[in-house]
């Protein structure tokens, strides 16, 4: 064979390595130990993580015809033969790109598709959408997994991989990711005793069952302690449409029910489910879709199953009872990781990337004199801000009434238009829709919204959550000497517009059972 046709040494070595990889063997002569001996790096994704997902090749360049070809690692031997040999030597999942496309929905079913890294977590997705939509990051934004074909949904924990959640979905089912607020996601860390009623919790400790807020949450986070949740629940019998009431016991080892009244003896407890490979979901339409006795249903679903037959369907008599069971299951499943998720934003608060440089450098200024000055006194800065807000409101009223001559009789009508631009006002919303929207944001004290009254077109309604119940308060118009005011207490406390009313009850409880704390946003995306 002539020198011109002689195969280069590098090409021969690559050919031997490719042949060894295809046959699964290796030898000292080839210098290739075989695929079974290749050390895997932790940064490589296993094949099952990317199954069924759209991927693209790494290290690719696009040819003139639009086809993707691998960049040759040996530019001095640029040829299609060498390129194909190199491609054959690479591990299958090292060729995939580390990005995926996910679609995220809002509660009005509008959606947005974004390209994200394959290892992105639920917290990362929420932060991404907060940035893209210029939302206020109040740490309540949550990513939900909704399985419409089963009529269930759950909170995806902040540390969970979104791509892994999607990989468990069947292709022929309507499964979605939803981005919305959930004020109750970590509220049990702040008000533990409200989430765990005393009659439902048993704790083995030296305190004889008398525990404060911090001690109670520590028992759930400490793997060596043994808290127990117990009480009656309705359970749907397997393969039947009927529901039956049993006494249930929830422990770290799993969920059990007693076949003899309220007995907790081991011989009377029957195993229902454990949580290492399962998640807890809320039922979206418990009565309509599952025939439950109440709307406060939840279920235990195995991670690797999408069949309705594998769901352990349960139902509580009241909302706070369901909340207790669901919260305890989350704590038993994730433990200290939930607390780390809760404190992580607080630890980064001082150096939060969500605050822009311009926002951190804001100062109060006074421009009333010939020269501007910085207001250093916080009390003075607050009073100036309030005065500017009232001044803006008066100017807005004047602009709204400019269609005619501004008069005292027209200013109330002008004031009516101010609240419609506020995120807490939902215009024509029914009582049931208001209840559903507040429940989606989390049934904790102070979640509220304002809406038009359905029964009286001239009045408004404040829908407020307190003690995990949604209560509705009518806002009545009060006329005095030709001027129109609004009141929640039959004219004892009057407000010129709804904005003033909301701002007052955000600072004062007044006739309400609690202050207004968290408004249900009208549009989040």
């Amino acid at each position: 064979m002539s020198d011109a046709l002689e195969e280069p040494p590098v090409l021969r070595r690559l050919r031997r390595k490719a042949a060894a990889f295809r046959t699964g063997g290796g030898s000292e002569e080839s210098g290739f130990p075989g695929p079974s001996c290749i050390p895997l790096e932790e940064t490589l994704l296993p094949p099952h993580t990317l199954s069924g997902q759209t991927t693209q090749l790494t290290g690719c360049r696009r040819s003139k015809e639009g086809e993707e070809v691998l960049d040759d690692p040996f530019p001095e031997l640029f040829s299609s033969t060498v390129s194909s040999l190199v491609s054959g030597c690479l591990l299958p999942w090292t060729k995939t790109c580390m990005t995926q496309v996910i679609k995220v929905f809002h509660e009005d079913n509008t959606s947005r598709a974004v390209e994200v890294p394959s290892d992105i977590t639920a917290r990362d997705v929420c932060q991404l959408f907060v940035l893209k939509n210029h939302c206020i990051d109040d740490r309540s934004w949550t990513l939900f997994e909704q399985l419409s074909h089963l009529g269930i949904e759950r909170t995806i924990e902040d540390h969970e991989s979104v791509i892994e959640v999607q990989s468990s979905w069947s292709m022929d089912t309507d499964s979605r990711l939803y981005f919305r607020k959930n004020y109750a996601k970590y509220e049990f860390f702040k008000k533990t005793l409200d989430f765990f009623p005393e009659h439902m919790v048993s704790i083995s400790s030296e305190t004889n069952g008398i525990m404060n807020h911090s001690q109670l949450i520590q028992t759930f986070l400490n793997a060596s302690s043994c808290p127990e949740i117990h009480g009656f629940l309705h359970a749907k019998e397997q393969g039947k449409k009927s529901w039956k009431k049993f006494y249930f016991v929830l422990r770290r080892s799993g969920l059990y029910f007693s076949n003899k009244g309220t007995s907790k003896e081991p011989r009377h407890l029957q195993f229902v489910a454990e949580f290492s490979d399962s998640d807890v979901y809320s039922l979206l339409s418990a009565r309509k879709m599952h025939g439950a006795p109440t709307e406060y249903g939840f279920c235990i679903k195995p991670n690797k199953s999408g069949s309705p037959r594998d769901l352990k369907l349960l139902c509580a008599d009241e909302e706070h009872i369901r909340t207790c069971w669901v919260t305890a299951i989350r704590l038993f499943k994730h433990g200290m990781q939930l607390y780390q998720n809760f404190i992580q934003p607080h630890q980064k608060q001082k150096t939060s990337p969500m605050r822009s440089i311009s926002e951190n450098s804001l100062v109060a200024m006074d421009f009333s004199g010939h020269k501007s000055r910085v207001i250093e006194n916080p009390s003075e800065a607050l009073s100036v801000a309030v005065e500017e807000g009232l001044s803006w409101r008066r100017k807005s009223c004047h602009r709204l009434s400019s269609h005619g001559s501004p008069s005292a009789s027209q200013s109330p009508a002008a004031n009516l238009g101010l609240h419609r631009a506020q995120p807490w006002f939902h215009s024509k919303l029914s009582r049931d829709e208001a209840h559903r929207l507040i429940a989606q944001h989390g049934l904790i004290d102070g979640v509220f919204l304002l809406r038009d009254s359905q029964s009286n077109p001239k009045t408004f309604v404040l829908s407020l959550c307190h003690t995990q119940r949604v209560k509705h308060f009518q806002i009545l118009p009060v006329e005095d000497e030709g001027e129109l005011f609004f009141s929640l207490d039959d004219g004892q406390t009057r407000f010129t517009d709804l904005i003033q009313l909301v701002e007052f009850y955000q600072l004062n409880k007044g006739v309400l059972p609690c202050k207004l704390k968290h408004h249900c946003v009208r549009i989040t995306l």
Side-chain angles (χ1 to χ4, degrees), residues 72 77-85:
D72 199 332
L77 294 174
F78 187 80
S79 68
S80 59
T81 306
V82 175
S83 181
S84 62
L85 288 174

Side-chain angles (χ1 to χ4, degrees), residues 280-402:
V280 58
Y281 290 76
S282 296
L283 303 186
L284 296 176
S285 301
R287 289 176 186 251
K288 184 177 180 180
M289 191 167 183
H290 301 281
T294 72
E295 284 293 348
Y296 312 119
F298 63 102
C299 72
I300 311 297
K301 174 188 169 298
N303 293 340
K304 297 181 180 179
S305 174
S307 172
R309 294 190 300 271
D310 296 328
L311 300 181
K312 303 293 191 299
L313 297 174
L314 304 166
C315 182
D317 288 326
E318 297 180 26
E319 174 63 32
H320 75 278
I321 296 177
R322 177 176 70 170
T323 302
C324 178
W325 288 96
V326 172
T327 304
I329 292 174
R330 289 176 60 202
L331 282 168
F332 283 152
K333 178 177 174 62
H334 300 287
M336 186 59 73
Q337 181 64 59
L338 279 190
Y339 185 68
Q340 294 295 333
N341 295 346
F342 167 65
I343 65 175
Q344 183 178 353
H346 299 276
Q347 290 175 336
K348 296 182 178 180
Q349 187 172 9
K350 293 183 179 180
T351 59
S352 174
M354 305 308 299
R355 293 178 60 89
S356 64
I357 297 176
S358 59
E359 185 181 354
N360 287 327
S361 58
L362 288 177
V363 295
M365 299 289 294
D366 179 16
F367 297 99
S368 59
H370 296 289
K371 291 183 179 181
S372 59
R373 66 181 182 92
V374 177
I375 304 175
E376 297 181 354
N377 188 340
S379 300
E380 184 185 0
L382 180 60
S383 63
V384 170
V386 172
E387 179 58 32
E388 286 187 355
L390 294 175
S391 175
W392 171 84
R393 187 172 300 166
R394 286 192 293 266
K395 292 178 181 178
S396 299
C397 293
H398 181 77
R399 285 195 299 268
L400 287 171
S401 61
S402 60

Side-chain angles (χ1 to χ4, degrees), residues 132-160:
K132 282 183 174 290
N133 298 286
H134 308 287
C135 302
I136 298 175
D137 186 18
D138 58 0
R139 307 185 189 93
S140 61
W141 293 104
T142 308
L143 201 63
F144 287 84
E145 177 192 16
Q146 187 176 110
L147 308 179
S148 301
H149 64 290
L150 299 176
I152 59 177
E153 75 168 13
R154 74 174 179 100
T155 296
I156 303 178
E157 305 298 348
D158 283 339
H159 65 276
E160 288 190 76

Side-chain angles (χ1 to χ4, degrees), residues 227-519:
E228 181 182 276
I229 305 296
H230 50 82
F232 284 96
L233 289 172
H234 302 272
K236 189 172 184 180
E237 299 185 75
Q238 193 71 26
K240 299 181 181 179
K241 294 183 178 181
S242 60
W243 291 71
K244 200 170 182 179
K245 204 167 189 177
F246 293 97
Y247 188 76
F248 280 83
V249 178
L250 177 64
R251 297 170 178 169
R252 291 194 184 278
S253 57
L255 181 66
Y256 305 84
F257 77 91
S258 177
N259 57 16
K260 189 174 183 181
T262 60
S263 174
K264 296 182 183 179
E265 294 185 24
R267 59 194 180 97
H268 294 148
L269 294 181
Q270 294 191 17
F271 176 77
V272 177
E274 56 93 26
F275 315 113
S276 61
D277 295 323
S278 302
D279 284 303
V280 58
Y281 290 76
S282 296
L283 303 186
L284 296 176
S285 301
R287 289 176 186 251
K288 184 177 180 180
M289 191 167 183
H290 301 281
T294 72
E295 284 293 348
Y296 312 119
F298 63 102
C299 72
I300 311 297
K301 174 188 169 298
N303 293 340
K304 297 181 180 179
S305 174
S307 172
R309 294 190 300 271
D310 296 328
L311 300 181
K312 303 293 191 299
L313 297 174
L314 304 166
C315 182
D317 288 326
E318 297 180 26
E319 174 63 32
H320 75 278
I321 296 177
R322 177 176 70 170
T323 302
C324 178
W325 288 96
V326 172
T327 304
I329 292 174
R330 289 176 60 202
L331 282 168
F332 283 152
K333 178 177 174 62
H334 300 287
M336 186 59 73
Q337 181 64 59
L338 279 190
Y339 185 68
Q340 294 295 333
N341 295 346
F342 167 65
I343 65 175
Q344 183 178 353
H346 299 276
Q347 290 175 336
K348 296 182 178 180
Q349 187 172 9
K350 293 183 179 180
T351 59
S352 174
M354 305 308 299
R355 293 178 60 89
S356 64
I357 297 176
S358 59
E359 185 181 354
N360 287 327
S361 58
L362 288 177
V363 295
M365 299 289 294
D366 179 16
F367 297 99
S368 59
H370 296 289
K371 291 183 179 181
S372 59
R373 66 181 182 92
V374 177
I375 304 175
E376 297 181 354
N377 188 340
S379 300
E380 184 185 0
L382 180 60
S383 63
V384 170
V386 172
E387 179 58 32
E388 286 187 355
L390 294 175
S391 175
W392 171 84
R393 187 172 300 166
R394 286 192 293 266
K395 292 178 181 178
S396 299
C397 293
H398 181 77
R399 285 195 299 268
L400 287 171
S401 61
S402 60
H403 297 287
S405 59
S407 62
S409 61
Q410 287 178 324
S411 59
N415 288 350
L416 289 177
L418 292 175
H419 60 266
R420 298 195 177 275
Q422 303 303 312
W424 39 256
F425 189 77
H426 292 252
S427 189
K428 297 180 180 179
L429 197 70
S430 68
R431 186 187 185 95
D432 293 338
E433 289 171 336
H435 188 287
R436 178 187 59 81
L437 187 57
I438 291 177
Q440 284 183 346
H441 282 69
L443 289 173
I444 65 173
D445 291 356
V447 179
F448 76 97
L449 61 86
L450 266 71
R451 56 189 176 88
D452 291 318
S453 173
Q454 299 290 301
S455 57
N456 189 346
K458 295 182 180 181
T459 62
F460 302 95
V461 177
L462 168 65
S463 299
L464 172 66
C465 181
H466 181 247
T467 62
Q468 297 191 336
R469 297 180 183 274
V470 180
K471 303 178 181 180
H472 307 275
F473 303 88
Q474 197 164 37
I475 303 173
L476 298 174
V478 178
E479 190 171 351
D480 186 10
E481 297 181 357
E483 292 191 26
L484 187 65
F485 300 94
F486 299 96
S487 177
L488 277 170
D489 52 8
D490 296 327
Q492 296 297 319
T493 312
R494 305 177 183 183
F495 306 94
T496 58
D497 55 48
L498 297 183
I499 299 178
Q500 194 180 66
L501 182 146
V502 169
E503 290 175 348
F504 175 83
Y505 287 108
Q506 284 176 328
L507 300 174
N508 308 276
K509 184 173 73 171
V511 295
L512 298 176
C514 64
K515 297 178 184 178
L516 307 182
K517 297 178 182 178
H518 313 289
H519 66 266

